[in-house]
């Protein structure tokens, strides 16, 4: 039984240790997220101020995975 992932956009507001980031979503919530997939493999830089797309589980909406870095 798999649940649908929740995708939202937001802005990185702070870089934290161990490749974690504090992201403010467009609805005003703040979550902790880490880079996933190709972002981690190719070591794509994520800086405060970047627009990102975050994927979250319906079980824990305080944590997420950054799946896309916008311009």
């Amino acid at each position: 039984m798999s649940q649908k992932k929740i995708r939202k956009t937001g802005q990185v507001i702070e870089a934290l240790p161990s490749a974690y980031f504090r992201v403010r979503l467009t609805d005003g919530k703040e979550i902790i997220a880490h880079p996933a997939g190709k972002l981690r493999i190719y070591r794509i830089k994520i800086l405060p101020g970047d627009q990102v797309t975050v994927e979250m589980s319906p079980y824990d909406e305080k944590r997420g995975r950054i799946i896309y870095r916008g311009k």
Side-chain angles (χ1 to χ4, degrees):
M1 206 159 73
S2 67
Q3 294 286 339
K4 290 290 258 179
K5 301 285 187 199
I6 301 167
R7 285 191 179 182
K8 294 188 177 182
T9 58
Q11 184 175 14
V12 176
I13 56 173
E14 184 182 3
L16 301 171
S18 300
Y20 279 90
F21 299 91
R22 190 174 311 275
V23 178
R24 181 174 291 129
L25 302 175
T26 53
D27 60 6
K29 292 182 186 175
E30 286 188 10
I31 65 166
I32 304 292
H34 66 275
K38 302 287 185 186
L39 292 173
R40 185 180 291 268
I41 291 169
Y42 294 118
R43 296 186 178 151
I44 294 174
K45 299 288 184 203
I46 300 173
L47 302 171
D50 287 346
Q51 295 293 326
V52 293
T53 301
V54 178
E55 188 176 74
M56 298 179 298
S57 166
Y59 298 111
D60 186 7
E61 295 187 4
K62 297 280 185 193
R63 295 186 173 274
R65 303 176 340 144
I66 299 172
I67 57 172
Y68 181 77
R69 176 185 164 257
K71 306 257 181 213

PDB file of all heavy atoms in Angstrom, residues 21-39:
ATOM      1  N   PHE A  21      18.901  21.274   4.728  1.00  0.00           N
ATOM      2  CA  PHE A  21      18.521  22.652   4.454  1.00  0.00           C
ATOM      3  C   PHE A  21      17.180  22.958   5.096  1.00  0.00           C
ATOM      4  O   PHE A  21      16.320  22.083   5.176  1.00  0.00           O
ATOM      5  CB  PHE A  21      18.413  22.888   2.934  1.00  0.00           C
ATOM      6  CG  PHE A  21      19.707  22.649   2.214  1.00  0.00           C
ATOM      7  CD1 PHE A  21      20.014  21.405   1.698  1.00  0.00           C
ATOM      8  CD2 PHE A  21      20.627  23.669   2.073  1.00  0.00           C
ATOM      9  CE1 PHE A  21      21.209  21.173   1.052  1.00  0.00           C
ATOM     10  CE2 PHE A  21      21.828  23.451   1.421  1.00  0.00           C
ATOM     11  CZ  PHE A  21      22.118  22.206   0.918  1.00  0.00           C
ATOM     12  N   ARG A  22      17.014  24.203   5.538  1.00  0.00           N
ATOM     13  CA  ARG A  22      15.724  24.668   6.032  1.00  0.00           C
ATOM     14  C   ARG A  22      15.042  25.347   4.846  1.00  0.00           C
ATOM     15  O   ARG A  22      15.605  26.249   4.241  1.00  0.00           O
ATOM     16  CB  ARG A  22      15.899  25.640   7.188  1.00  0.00           C
ATOM     17  CG  ARG A  22      14.605  25.965   7.895  1.00  0.00           C
ATOM     18  CD  ARG A  22      14.828  26.827   9.127  1.00  0.00           C
ATOM     19  NE  ARG A  22      15.873  26.336  10.009  1.00  0.00           N
ATOM     20  CZ  ARG A  22      15.703  25.408  10.956  1.00  0.00           C
ATOM     21  NH1 ARG A  22      14.533  24.869  11.144  1.00  0.00           N
ATOM     22  NH2 ARG A  22      16.716  25.039  11.714  1.00  0.00           N
ATOM     23  N   VAL A  23      13.845  24.880   4.511  1.00  0.00           N
ATOM     24  CA  VAL A  23      13.126  25.366   3.338  1.00  0.00           C
ATOM     25  C   VAL A  23      11.805  25.968   3.779  1.00  0.00           C
ATOM     26  O   VAL A  23      11.056  25.351   4.549  1.00  0.00           O
ATOM     27  CB  VAL A  23      12.868  24.215   2.335  1.00  0.00           C
ATOM     28  CG1 VAL A  23      12.076  24.698   1.138  1.00  0.00           C
ATOM     29  CG2 VAL A  23      14.173  23.581   1.894  1.00  0.00           C
ATOM     30  N   ARG A  24      11.516  27.187   3.298  1.00  0.00           N
ATOM     31  CA  ARG A  24      10.209  27.812   3.548  1.00  0.00           C
ATOM     32  C   ARG A  24       9.346  27.570   2.321  1.00  0.00           C
ATOM     33  O   ARG A  24       9.662  28.007   1.223  1.00  0.00           O
ATOM     34  CB  ARG A  24      10.337  29.311   3.804  1.00  0.00           C
ATOM     35  CG  ARG A  24       8.981  29.954   4.084  1.00  0.00           C
ATOM     36  CD  ARG A  24       9.080  31.407   4.474  1.00  0.00           C
ATOM     37  NE  ARG A  24       9.700  31.518   5.788  1.00  0.00           N
ATOM     38  CZ  ARG A  24      10.735  32.313   6.062  1.00  0.00           C
ATOM     39  NH1 ARG A  24      11.276  33.056   5.125  1.00  0.00           N
ATOM     40  NH2 ARG A  24      11.236  32.367   7.274  1.00  0.00           N
ATOM     41  N   LEU A  25       8.254  26.833   2.513  1.00  0.00           N
ATOM     42  CA  LEU A  25       7.357  26.506   1.415  1.00  0.00           C
ATOM     43  C   LEU A  25       6.505  27.708   1.046  1.00  0.00           C
ATOM     44  O   LEU A  25       6.407  28.674   1.806  1.00  0.00           O
ATOM     45  CB  LEU A  25       6.471  25.323   1.801  1.00  0.00           C
ATOM     46  CG  LEU A  25       7.213  24.046   2.197  1.00  0.00           C
ATOM     47  CD1 LEU A  25       6.225  22.998   2.659  1.00  0.00           C
ATOM     48  CD2 LEU A  25       8.056  23.527   1.056  1.00  0.00           C
ATOM     49  N   THR A  26       5.858  27.634  -0.123  1.00  0.00           N
ATOM     50  CA  THR A  26       5.031  28.757  -0.581  1.00  0.00           C
ATOM     51  C   THR A  26       3.824  28.987   0.321  1.00  0.00           C
ATOM     52  O   THR A  26       3.298  30.090   0.362  1.00  0.00           O
ATOM     53  CB  THR A  26       4.548  28.519  -2.023  1.00  0.00           C
ATOM     54  OG1 THR A  26       3.923  27.245  -2.102  1.00  0.00           O
ATOM     55  CG2 THR A  26       5.715  28.580  -2.992  1.00  0.00           C
ATOM     56  N   ASP A  27       3.398  27.965   1.070  1.00  0.00           N
ATOM     57  CA  ASP A  27       2.263  28.143   1.983  1.00  0.00           C
ATOM     58  C   ASP A  27       2.689  28.658   3.359  1.00  0.00           C
ATOM     59  O   ASP A  27       1.863  28.787   4.257  1.00  0.00           O
ATOM     60  CB  ASP A  27       1.463  26.848   2.118  1.00  0.00           C
ATOM     61  CG  ASP A  27       2.293  25.692   2.655  1.00  0.00           C
ATOM     62  OD1 ASP A  27       3.460  25.906   3.025  1.00  0.00           O
ATOM     63  OD2 ASP A  27       1.759  24.569   2.709  1.00  0.00           O
ATOM     64  N   GLY A  28       3.992  28.950   3.544  1.00  0.00           N
ATOM     65  CA  GLY A  28       4.474  29.547   4.784  1.00  0.00           C
ATOM     66  C   GLY A  28       5.094  28.584   5.770  1.00  0.00           C
ATOM     67  O   GLY A  28       5.739  29.001   6.729  1.00  0.00           O
ATOM     68  N   LYS A  29       4.924  27.276   5.582  1.00  0.00           N
ATOM     69  CA  LYS A  29       5.506  26.293   6.501  1.00  0.00           C
ATOM     70  C   LYS A  29       7.009  26.189   6.277  1.00  0.00           C
ATOM     71  O   LYS A  29       7.498  26.413   5.179  1.00  0.00           O
ATOM     72  CB  LYS A  29       4.891  24.915   6.270  1.00  0.00           C
ATOM     73  CG  LYS A  29       3.451  24.807   6.658  1.00  0.00           C
ATOM     74  CD  LYS A  29       2.971  23.391   6.431  1.00  0.00           C
ATOM     75  CE  LYS A  29       1.490  23.275   6.677  1.00  0.00           C
ATOM     76  NZ  LYS A  29       1.000  21.932   6.344  1.00  0.00           N
ATOM     77  N   GLU A  30       7.734  25.826   7.335  1.00  0.00           N
ATOM     78  CA  GLU A  30       9.178  25.588   7.231  1.00  0.00           C
ATOM     79  C   GLU A  30       9.438  24.115   7.499  1.00  0.00           C
ATOM     80  O   GLU A  30       8.910  23.547   8.451  1.00  0.00           O
ATOM     81  CB  GLU A  30       9.947  26.446   8.230  1.00  0.00           C
ATOM     82  CG  GLU A  30      10.012  27.892   7.840  1.00  0.00           C
ATOM     83  CD  GLU A  30      10.938  28.702   8.718  1.00  0.00           C
ATOM     84  OE1 GLU A  30      11.689  28.101   9.528  1.00  0.00           O
ATOM     85  OE2 GLU A  30      10.910  29.926   8.606  1.00  0.00           O
ATOM     86  N   ILE A  31      10.267  23.499   6.640  1.00  0.00           N
ATOM     87  CA  ILE A  31      10.604  22.092   6.804  1.00  0.00           C
ATOM     88  C   ILE A  31      12.115  21.917   6.693  1.00  0.00           C
ATOM     89  O   ILE A  31      12.819  22.827   6.268  1.00  0.00           O
ATOM     90  CB  ILE A  31       9.905  21.204   5.748  1.00  0.00           C
ATOM     91  CG1 ILE A  31      10.413  21.521   4.345  1.00  0.00           C
ATOM     92  CG2 ILE A  31       8.400  21.337   5.821  1.00  0.00           C
ATOM     93  CD1 ILE A  31      10.027  20.478   3.330  1.00  0.00           C
ATOM     94  N   ILE A  32      12.587  20.744   7.086  1.00  0.00           N
ATOM     95  CA  ILE A  32      13.979  20.353   6.936  1.00  0.00           C
ATOM     96  C   ILE A  32      14.036  19.394   5.742  1.00  0.00           C
ATOM     97  O   ILE A  32      13.243  18.460   5.661  1.00  0.00           O
ATOM     98  CB  ILE A  32      14.495  19.626   8.199  1.00  0.00           C
ATOM     99  CG1 ILE A  32      14.305  20.484   9.446  1.00  0.00           C
ATOM    100  CG2 ILE A  32      15.934  19.198   8.020  1.00  0.00           C
ATOM    101  CD1 ILE A  32      15.168  21.703   9.493  1.00  0.00           C
ATOM    102  N   ALA A  33      14.977  19.635   4.816  1.00  0.00           N
ATOM    103  CA  ALA A  33      15.054  18.789   3.618  1.00  0.00           C
ATOM    104  C   ALA A  33      16.505  18.480   3.281  1.00  0.00           C
ATOM    105  O   ALA A  33      17.409  19.225   3.640  1.00  0.00           O
ATOM    106  CB  ALA A  33      14.384  19.495   2.445  1.00  0.00           C
ATOM    107  N   HIS A  34      16.704  17.368   2.580  1.00  0.00           N
ATOM    108  CA  HIS A  34      18.035  16.987   2.113  1.00  0.00           C
ATOM    109  C   HIS A  34      17.971  16.705   0.613  1.00  0.00           C
ATOM    110  O   HIS A  34      16.917  16.344   0.094  1.00  0.00           O
ATOM    111  CB  HIS A  34      18.553  15.764   2.876  1.00  0.00           C
ATOM    112  CG  HIS A  34      17.762  14.521   2.624  1.00  0.00           C
ATOM    113  ND1 HIS A  34      16.612  14.223   3.329  1.00  0.00           N
ATOM    114  CD2 HIS A  34      17.937  13.512   1.743  1.00  0.00           C
ATOM    115  CE1 HIS A  34      16.127  13.078   2.885  1.00  0.00           C
ATOM    116  NE2 HIS A  34      16.914  12.620   1.919  1.00  0.00           N
ATOM    117  N   PRO A  35      19.088  16.879  -0.100  1.00  0.00           N
ATOM    118  CA  PRO A  35      19.088  16.617  -1.535  1.00  0.00           C
ATOM    119  C   PRO A  35      18.933  15.122  -1.813  1.00  0.00           C
ATOM    120  O   PRO A  35      19.445  14.290  -1.067  1.00  0.00           O
ATOM    121  CB  PRO A  35      20.443  17.116  -2.019  1.00  0.00           C
ATOM    122  CG  PRO A  35      21.199  17.523  -0.833  1.00  0.00           C
ATOM    123  CD  PRO A  35      20.346  17.411   0.369  1.00  0.00           C
ATOM    124  N   ALA A  36      18.248  14.803  -2.897  1.00  0.00           N
ATOM    125  CA  ALA A  36      18.000  13.407  -3.232  1.00  0.00           C
ATOM    126  C   ALA A  36      18.367  13.134  -4.683  1.00  0.00           C
ATOM    127  O   ALA A  36      18.427  14.050  -5.501  1.00  0.00           O
ATOM    128  CB  ALA A  36      16.529  13.078  -3.011  1.00  0.00           C
ATOM    129  N   GLY A  37      18.643  11.883  -4.983  1.00  0.00           N
ATOM    130  CA  GLY A  37      18.857  11.444  -6.356  1.00  0.00           C
ATOM    131  C   GLY A  37      20.048  12.092  -7.030  1.00  0.00           C
ATOM    132  O   GLY A  37      21.159  12.098  -6.506  1.00  0.00           O
ATOM    133  N   LYS A  38      19.817  12.644  -8.222  1.00  0.00           N
ATOM    134  CA  LYS A  38      20.886  13.215  -9.039  1.00  0.00           C
ATOM    135  C   LYS A  38      21.518  14.445  -8.390  1.00  0.00           C
ATOM    136  O   LYS A  38      22.687  14.741  -8.632  1.00  0.00           O
ATOM    137  CB  LYS A  38      20.374  13.591 -10.426  1.00  0.00           C
ATOM    138  CG  LYS A  38      19.780  12.451 -11.196  1.00  0.00           C
ATOM    139  CD  LYS A  38      20.839  11.497 -11.676  1.00  0.00           C
ATOM    140  CE  LYS A  38      20.205  10.430 -12.543  1.00  0.00           C
ATOM    141  NZ  LYS A  38      21.129   9.403 -12.934  1.00  0.00           N
ATOM    142  N   LEU A  39      20.766  15.162  -7.556  1.00  0.00           N
ATOM    143  CA  LEU A  39      21.339  16.319  -6.864  1.00  0.00           C
ATOM    144  C   LEU A  39      22.492  15.883  -5.971  1.00  0.00           C
ATOM    145  O   LEU A  39      23.517  16.548  -5.890  1.00  0.00           O
ATOM    146  CB  LEU A  39      20.282  17.028  -6.017  1.00  0.00           C
ATOM    147  CG  LEU A  39      19.168  17.745  -6.766  1.00  0.00           C
ATOM    148  CD1 LEU A  39      18.127  18.246  -5.787  1.00  0.00           C
ATOM    149  CD2 LEU A  39      19.718  18.885  -7.571  1.00  0.00           C
TER     150      LEU A  39
END
